[in-house]
Amino acid sequence: MLVKNGLVYQGDKFEKLDVLIKGTKIERVAPSIDETEATKIIDAEGKHVFPGFVDLHTHLRDPGQTHKEDIISGTKAAAKGGYTTICAMPNTDPIVDNIATVEYIKRKAKDVGYCKVSVIGALTKKSEGKELTEVASMLEGGIVAVSDDGGCVQNTKIKLNAMKYASNFNIPVIVHAEDYSLSAKGQINAGRMSTKLGLGGIPALAEEIIISRDIMLAENLNCHLHIAHISTAKAIQMVREAKSRGVKVTCEVTPHHLLLTEDACDNYDTNTKVKPPLRTEKDRLACLEGLLDNTIDFIASDHAPHSDFEKEKEFNLAPFGINVLETSFASLYTELVLENKIELTKLIEKLSTSPAKFLKINSGLIKEGCLADITVVDLEGDIHFSAETMVSKSNNTPFINQTFKGRVDTTICDGVVTWGAGTKS
Ligand code: DOR
């Protein structure tokens, strides 16, 4: 396959180059490769050619909650959004806390998925925060990290043991930072908006206390701590300081925490209900600053699909979560790159290169010998998100019925086209 005449991501710049793919790998990247060398040509004239996006944080809902999403629909939404690898979070039903469930996801994704799926195993059995899982066994099944995401181990002694155990296997422990005694029955960020709407608040402190605790544990145990969906200015500052002390800590931010604030909740739209909650403008700007100075290592989706019947409820009763995989690139490109808040090269580094490095996979770059994981994007192209156009089983995005620039035209995963413009079935 030959991707011809595109503007190809080369780290700090884009160059007009051709990309020749042979089998699953990139065979050559050069200014002009003869069309006779390929049997299939992808015309990328006027388009940008990026390394496929890599998502460290996807809720695929399979097994057990397949009315919200399943491995087919979730990976298809990923391919449409330009992703070639995603990581499945373990808060399914049952929880992914044993090798059999790990193998189920991996096998099904391999058989019927539209992108590669890595699996994150639970840190504690049933993610109840009480008893450690058999990490060694799940590692045999191929897990890449452990986490109780969606929930948070409250007991510090159990967390210490879990991190000590995981550090033996040299895999990251991912924390969803939430002190339950502080988040309690909170619905949105505690502050001006929660007061105005009469909704219970989730204070920034609920996140910061756990991050502070877990950074201390990581420092003490020399364990790799990865902080999921960081959202407060103070938490980002703590990570900045920990990194400067040499602590093995990394963190991710979601597109919604980069683009929205608690103000989005003003109309009681349950599609804005998410954990951690959308915060203040000061926090949002700190997320952006942290991304730009590399305190924040990458952007992760926290794709959390929920069905209409679950979200169409009173705010207090609706589940937390936002549907992200299809909207992430276009929303970030339109709101941040076109508004000159971030360079396009930086955005691609944070969506592809940096998470690929984290996962130690041979993608995230467009160069000879790398896997042919490639996303061709028409930056001028419009993309509209509606219940009719979305391929995910759920539509719970605050960007529903909005149009953005930056349409993914073609996604290539391991040398196979997994998304082509206009396809939907
Ligand atoms: O809003 C959220 N929804 N945050 C999480 O951490 C979990 C997720 C879910 O699984 O629905």
Side-chain angles (χ1 to χ4, degrees), residues 371-391:
L371 287 170
D373 291 347
I374 293 173
T375 299
V376 181
V377 176
D378 181 356
L379 294 180
E380 301 290 321
D382 287 335
I383 177 134
H384 183 72
F385 298 104
S386 69
E388 287 70 42
T389 62
M390 286 180 71
V391 301

Side-chain angles (χ1 to χ4, degrees), residues 57 59 61 65 68 89 91-92 148-151 176 178 228-229 256-257 273-277 302-306 311 319-322 396:
H57 194 144
H59 296 278
R61 308 300 193 207
Q65 299 157 330
K68 298 172 194 267
M89 276 295 177
N91 64 335
T92 47
D148 278 351
D149 180 69
H176 162 120
E178 179 181 352
H229 43 50
H256 38 280
H257 290 105
K273 181 174 173 179
V274 67
K275 266 188 181 173
D302 194 9
H303 177 74
H306 293 290
K311 278 290 195 180
F320 291 90
I322 291 180
N396 54 309

Side-chain angles (χ1 to χ4, degrees), residues 298-318:
F298 43 81
I299 299 169
S301 78
D302 194 9
H303 177 74
H306 293 290
S307 300
D308 287 353
F309 77 89
E310 296 164 313
K311 278 290 195 180
E312 285 169 5
K313 284 191 176 154
E314 295 90 315
F315 206 94
N316 280 326
L317 301 177

Side-chain angles (χ1 to χ4, degrees), residues 71-122:
I71 289 172
I72 300 179
S73 64
T75 56
K76 196 168 191 179
K80 183 183 169 191
Y83 291 88
T84 48
T85 298
I86 59 176
C87 294
M89 276 295 177
N91 64 335
T92 47
D93 185 9
I95 297 277
V96 185
D97 61 3
N98 60 75
I99 185 172
T101 322
V102 173
E103 284 179 344
Y104 160 79
I105 296 169
K106 287 198 75 94
R107 196 174 323 122
K108 187 163 170 191
K110 201 158 188 255
D111 288 350
V112 295
Y114 288 79
C115 69
K116 289 171 270 194
V117 176
S118 295
V119 177
I120 296 169

Side-chain angles (χ1 to χ4, degrees), residues 37-157:
E37 294 204 40
T39 49
K40 183 178 170 77
I41 312 287
I42 296 197
D43 178 14
E45 180 72 45
K47 296 177 186 158
H48 280 67
V49 179
F50 304 139
F53 306 145
V54 175
D55 189 31
L56 261 294
H57 194 144
T58 304
H59 296 278
L60 276 180
R61 308 300 193 207
D62 191 348
Q65 299 157 330
T66 52
H67 60 287
K68 298 172 194 267
E69 196 78 288
D70 61 27
I71 289 172
I72 300 179
S73 64
T75 56
K76 196 168 191 179
K80 183 183 169 191
Y83 291 88
T84 48
T85 298
I86 59 176
C87 294
M89 276 295 177
N91 64 335
T92 47
D93 185 9
I95 297 277
V96 185
D97 61 3
N98 60 75
I99 185 172
T101 322
V102 173
E103 284 179 344
Y104 160 79
I105 296 169
K106 287 198 75 94
R107 196 174 323 122
K108 187 163 170 191
K110 201 158 188 255
D111 288 350
V112 295
Y114 288 79
C115 69
K116 289 171 270 194
V117 176
S118 295
V119 177
I120 296 169
L123 185 61
T124 64
K125 289 186 181 164
K126 296 185 181 170
S127 285
E128 286 176 342
K130 293 179 187 154
E131 217 185 314
L132 306 191
T133 49
E134 285 167 21
V135 177
S137 154
M138 288 195 292
L139 265 174
E140 269 178 48
I143 59 162
V144 293
V146 280
S147 179
D148 278 351
D149 180 69
C152 177
V153 177
Q154 302 293 293
N155 182 301
T156 305
K157 175 71 180 170

